[in-house]
Amino acid sequence: MLNVAIIGPGLVGGALIEQLAAHLQSPRFAGLPIAVVGLINSKKMAVSEAPFAASDLGDWKSRILGSAAPDADLAQFADRLAKLASPSVVVDCTSSDAVAELYPQWLAKGLHIATPNKKAFSNDLSLFRRIQELSGSPQGPSVYHEATVGAGLPVLSTLSDLVRTGDRIVKIEGIFSGTLSYLFNNFSAPGATQKFSECVAVAKASGYTEPDPRDDLNGMDVARKVAILGRVAGYGLGTDTLAIENIVPEALRGVASADEFMSRLPEFDDHFAQLNGEALATGSVLRYVGCVDGASAQGSVKLTRYPLDHPFASLKGSDNIIAFTTERFPNPLIVQGAGAGAAVTAFGIFSDLIKICERFGAGTK
Amino acid sequence: MLNVAIIGPGLVGGALIEQLAAHLQSPRFAGLPIAVVGLINSKKMAVSEAPFAASDLGDWKSRILGSAAPDADLAQFADRLAKLASPSVVVDCTSSDAVAELYPQWLAKGLHIATPNKKAFSNDLSLFRRIQELSGSPQGPSVYHEATVGAGLPVLSTLSDLVRTGDRIVKIEGIFSGTLSYLFNNFSAPGATQKFSECVAVAKASGYTEPDPRDDLNGMDVARKVAILGRVAGYGLGTDTLAIENIVPEALRGVASADEFMSRLPEFDDHFAQLNGEALATGSVLRYVGCVDGASAQGSVKLTRYPLDHPFASLKGSDNIIAFTTERFPNPLIVQGAGAGAAVTAFGIFSDLIKICERFGAGTK
């Protein structure tokens, strides 16, 4: 039996609970011994010796984390999980730096970790290396974080397989931000007529951007994903060592509010129109990509041109795409699809849980 | 320690031995306890208590399966592997029906199986079901066959993750034959001028087709892959229940030799030119695809039109591509890249070996 405990049941954690609850009741789930035994949000927590019933998970807000539940205490939560008889996995569905800092303590207690939280894998290299050391043995504990890049798309598992079987990475290149995918798929296409500021305004109104769109356009989210890919490939990358092209116009970086940024962005429509026109004139489109170069072991984040028959040029909606060019795949191995959203992110975590369950779920600690 | 034994070290098996030998000597391999202990071809065999050294694997023809080695006997080979102290995996690199029939016996002895051989997963449904039953427990033994569809591309692992986490399959659609990918990528493209028979002749001369190209054009290889995908998705598909469009012209199906087929194929160039012209006139191209429909749980293999901005239309060379349309991925999750060739097929098997090693390699039997 593998015990699962979820931290931060918000959008993604809630979707994961739904998927797990559905499957506790499905015959397809038979044979995969997973039990949900812990839940904690910012206020309340619950850890149970007996697995939560699917019906309780379906209404966890009142039936598991209701007013009678003990107050949240992350240290106690981890201690109680570590004392259970079967192996336990902590699923960190927060995006918190502070929670990520706790991973080494949890691993030292023998707890497995599965998470879409990018912080532990893209902040200080020293934290990442401690986590690697503590999870490097075949006997466990293990750390899985497929959903930190491309949500549920098989990105990190594929990269890990390539590297561990001895392929040589030539280049990893991709569109890793659903927001920037959407923006440039719409702005930079033959016949497209929307101005750049209009595209950003539509994306913001549709909820595709961060509250301040500069948090997308500055490239930091993409840089985190590039750092993660580079680290899984075996290179000591950090967001501080990457060449990052921040496409927020310099004059607007210091502007105080998102509203003021949005109202002044049209001043720079001519700038983006010129870049776009130059690309289209050569039969290309603009895409905002992250790149890891195997030869130099360096990474970058930048606005780049791709010819119209390139797979990046025909991307639709807010899809992600990633191309692995290697010794064995001189024509790249490509994965594409939805790289953001609660259901597909939860799918990525659930896939990690299956792997942990298959490796460790049959045994005792 | 996971013991690996390889049956049929030809092109693919040879590439796998190379990859395993390279990694026994690489620091990246540390921590993954894999040992190669058995080799058998049609004449000789060897099973060793002590792992073969990387240097012996580098020259296995003379140093492991040389004239002093015992004569090949597959039953003895399996028996000896089953008696080793650590778990063992048999890697079937043949394409033999007879070898595939032995899988249930091996599983009953506790041997794991990893293979690119499609037969056990696309022949009689009864054989497949026996294999499923014998490998269905978390304690093992296990069967992995990623390389039976799309070689090393993460196709079956992705499908399995989708299904096991409870996603609903709407449609699985793809170009699964490197040969037919190459033929139609070249024949059916805006501005392409080669006649169909010329494309086939070039593909044959380049070694991309079977000795008799009708063995590609009849759709049976694609049908096997569709059956495998359908079965992994949970449907009882067989090549006998699929709607298969055989594109060998009817008049040439009974022709005795491949040479006569090739010499008469130009008689049908007008037929293919017409199909192609009709597609191009509507802004589409022709692609030979396999399809599994989730709602009906049925499969098909057919020549189909795709608009120019569809990912299948911009495929290059002999790449494979597969699109999973599901409840969670209404815009499909797509995987593409080389789906044939010794190195990438061996990569697919090696990735399976890592999974078996992670699940069972740390324990004893």
Side-chain angles (χ1 to χ4, degrees):
Chain A
M1 185 63 69
L2 180 72
N3 295 315
V4 174
I6 297 164
I7 302 181
L11 268 182
V12 168
L16 178 63
I17 292 172
E18 259 177 51
Q19 291 180 11
L20 288 168
H23 281 73
L24 290 175
Q25 303 175 82
S26 151
R28 281 192 287 192
F29 202 69
L32 202 62
I34 290 185
V36 186
V37 302
L39 268 187
I40 181 169
N41 61 17
S42 57
K43 294 180 183 143
K44 294 289 185 178
M45 72 175 183
V47 178
S48 166
E49 285 280 344
F52 298 136
S55 54
D56 287 343
L57 287 172
D59 186 18
W60 60 267
K61 275 176 208 170
S62 65
R63 297 177 79 154
I64 299 176
L65 294 188
S67 53
D71 288 343
D73 180 323
L74 209 40
Q76 274 185 34
F77 187 74
D79 280 342
R80 292 196 47 197
L81 288 171
K83 284 184 188 126
L84 296 177
S86 309
S88 296
V89 53
V90 179
V91 181
D92 172 18
C93 293
T94 75
S95 57
S96 154
D97 292 279
V99 174
E101 296 277 348
L102 299 173
Y103 295 178
Q105 293 176 33
W106 296 344
L107 291 168
K109 289 183 204 290
L111 296 170
H112 301 275
I113 294 167
T115 183
N117 181 355
K118 293 187 278 291
K119 300 303 169 58
F121 315 99
S122 58
N123 282 355
D124 277 4
L125 202 51
S126 60
L127 173 61
F128 177 75
R129 294 221 158 115
R130 256 187 304 152
I131 290 168
Q132 271 196 312
E133 277 164 33
L134 289 163
S135 61
S137 133
Q139 286 76 34
S142 62
V143 176
Y144 284 83
H145 57 102
E146 181 66 75
T148 54
V149 181
L153 300 176
V155 170
L156 297 183
S157 53
T158 300
L159 175 58
S160 169
D161 280 345
L162 289 167
V163 171
R164 295 176 79 185
T165 62
D167 204 356
R168 195 174 56 78
I169 302 296
V170 175
K171 188 168 66 170
I172 306 168
E173 193 177 17
I175 296 170
F176 303 117
S177 154
T179 313
L180 288 154
S181 173
Y182 177 88
L183 275 182
F184 284 98
N185 295 348
N186 283 284
F187 174 64
S188 189
T193 56
Q194 269 191 324
K195 292 176 179 169
F196 188 72
S197 64
E198 292 169 352
C199 290
V200 176
V202 170
K204 186 173 191 301
S206 311
Y208 286 173
T209 69
E210 294 292 323
D212 187 335
R214 288 177 293 184
D215 291 336
D216 297 298
L217 299 173
N218 68 13
M220 279 310 293
D221 171 67
V222 177
R224 283 191 182 276
K225 291 165 181 168
V226 170
I228 294 170
L229 288 161
R231 289 180 188 183
V232 171
Y235 317 134
L237 294 187
T239 53
D240 51 340
T241 64
L242 301 177
I244 304 172
E245 183 177 343
N246 177 350
I247 59 171
V248 177
E250 266 196 69
L252 301 187
R253 288 179 198 170
V255 158
S257 73
D259 284 348
E260 191 181 346
F261 166 72
M262 290 302 291
S263 72
R264 288 191 52 193
L265 189 55
E267 295 170 24
F268 299 88
D269 277 336
D270 285 350
H271 162 71
F272 287 104
Q274 190 187 337
L275 292 176
N276 200 22
E278 287 168 4
L280 290 168
T282 64
S284 299
V285 294
L286 294 175
R287 295 292 180 263
Y288 192 74
V289 300
C291 190
V292 175
D293 180 71
S296 66
Q298 296 295 318
S300 61
V301 176
K302 61 195 173 194
L303 204 56
T304 309
R305 295 180 191 176
Y306 292 91
L308 287 174
D309 66 346
H310 190 282
F312 289 15
S314 50
L315 205 62
K316 301 277 193 305
S318 59
D319 275 0
N320 283 17
I321 189 165
I322 183 161
F324 299 101
T325 307
T326 74
E327 191 168 74
R328 294 184 199 138
F329 290 95
N331 292 332
L333 188 170
I334 295 176
V335 176
Q336 74 177 86
V344 295
T345 305
F347 159 60
I349 304 167
F350 198 169
S351 300
D352 282 348
L353 292 178
I354 289 179
K355 291 176 183 76
I356 299 172
C357 185
E358 287 188 333
R359 287 182 61 182
F360 305 103
T364 50
K365 284 198 298 188
Chain B
M1 184 63 70
L2 180 73
N3 294 315
V4 174
I6 297 164
I7 303 181
L11 270 181
V12 168
L16 178 64
I17 293 171
E18 261 178 50
Q19 290 180 11
L20 288 168
H23 282 73
L24 290 174
Q25 302 174 82
S26 149
R28 279 192 288 190
F29 202 68
L32 202 60
I34 289 185
V36 186
V37 303
L39 267 187
I40 182 169
N41 61 16
S42 57
K43 293 181 183 140
K44 294 288 187 179
M45 72 174 184
V47 179
S48 166
E49 286 279 344
F52 299 135
S55 54
D56 288 342
L57 287 172
D59 186 18
W60 60 268
K61 275 176 208 173
S62 64
R63 297 176 82 153
I64 298 176
L65 295 187
S67 52
D71 288 342
D73 180 321
L74 208 41
Q76 273 185 35
F77 187 76
D79 280 342
R80 292 195 49 195
L81 289 171
K83 285 184 186 125
L84 296 176
S86 307
S88 296
V89 54
V90 179
V91 182
D92 172 18
C93 292
T94 75
S95 58
S96 156
D97 292 280
V99 174
E101 296 277 348
L102 300 172
Y103 294 178
Q105 292 176 32
W106 297 343
L107 292 168
K109 288 181 204 292
L111 296 169
H112 301 274
I113 295 168
T115 182
N117 180 356
K118 291 186 280 290
K119 299 303 168 60
F121 314 99
S122 57
N123 282 355
D124 277 2
L125 202 52
S126 59
L127 174 61
F128 177 75
R129 294 221 158 115
R130 255 187 304 155
I131 291 169
Q132 272 195 312
E133 277 164 33
L134 288 161
S135 61
S137 132
Q139 286 77 34
S142 63
V143 177
Y144 284 82
H145 56 103
E146 181 66 73
T148 55
V149 181
L153 301 177
V155 170
L156 297 183
S157 53
T158 299
L159 175 57
S160 169
D161 280 345
L162 290 167
V163 171
R164 295 176 81 186
T165 61
D167 204 356
R168 195 174 56 81
I169 302 296
V170 175
K171 189 168 66 170
I172 307 168
E173 193 177 19
I175 296 171
F176 303 118
S177 155
T179 313
L180 288 155
S181 173
Y182 177 88
L183 275 182
F184 284 97
N185 295 348
N186 284 284
F187 174 63
S188 189
T193 55
Q194 269 191 327
K195 292 174 179 169
F196 188 71
S197 64
E198 292 169 353
C199 289
V200 176
V202 169
K204 186 173 191 301
S206 310
Y208 286 172
T209 68
E210 296 293 321
D212 187 334
R214 286 176 296 184
D215 291 337
D216 297 299
L217 300 173
N218 68 13
M220 279 310 294
D221 172 68
V222 177
R224 283 190 181 278
K225 291 165 182 166
V226 170
I228 294 170
L229 288 161
R231 290 180 188 184
V232 171
Y235 316 133
L237 293 188
T239 54
D240 51 341
T241 63
L242 301 177
I244 305 172
E245 182 177 344
N246 177 350
I247 60 171
V248 178
E250 266 196 70
L252 300 186
R253 289 180 197 168
V255 158
S257 74
D259 284 349
E260 192 182 345
F261 165 74
M262 290 302 291
S263 72
R264 290 191 51 193
L265 189 55
E267 296 169 23
F268 299 87
D269 278 337
D270 284 349
H271 161 71
F272 287 103
Q274 191 188 337
L275 292 176
N276 200 22
E278 287 168 5
L280 290 168
T282 63
S284 299
V285 294
L286 295 176
R287 294 293 182 262
Y288 193 73
V289 299
C291 191
V292 175
D293 180 70
S296 65
Q298 296 295 318
S300 61
V301 177
K302 61 194 174 198
L303 204 55
T304 310
R305 294 179 190 176
Y306 292 91
L308 287 173
D309 66 346
H310 190 280
F312 289 14
S314 51
L315 205 62
K316 300 276 193 307
S318 59
D319 275 1
N320 285 15
I321 189 166
I322 183 162
F324 298 100
T325 307
T326 73
E327 191 167 74
R328 294 183 199 138
F329 291 95
N331 292 331
L333 188 170
I334 295 176
V335 176
Q336 74 177 86
V344 294
T345 305
F347 158 60
I349 304 167
F350 198 168
S351 300
D352 282 348
L353 293 178
I354 290 179
K355 290 176 184 77
I356 298 173
C357 185
E358 287 188 332
R359 287 182 61 183
F360 305 102
T364 51
K365 282 198 301 188

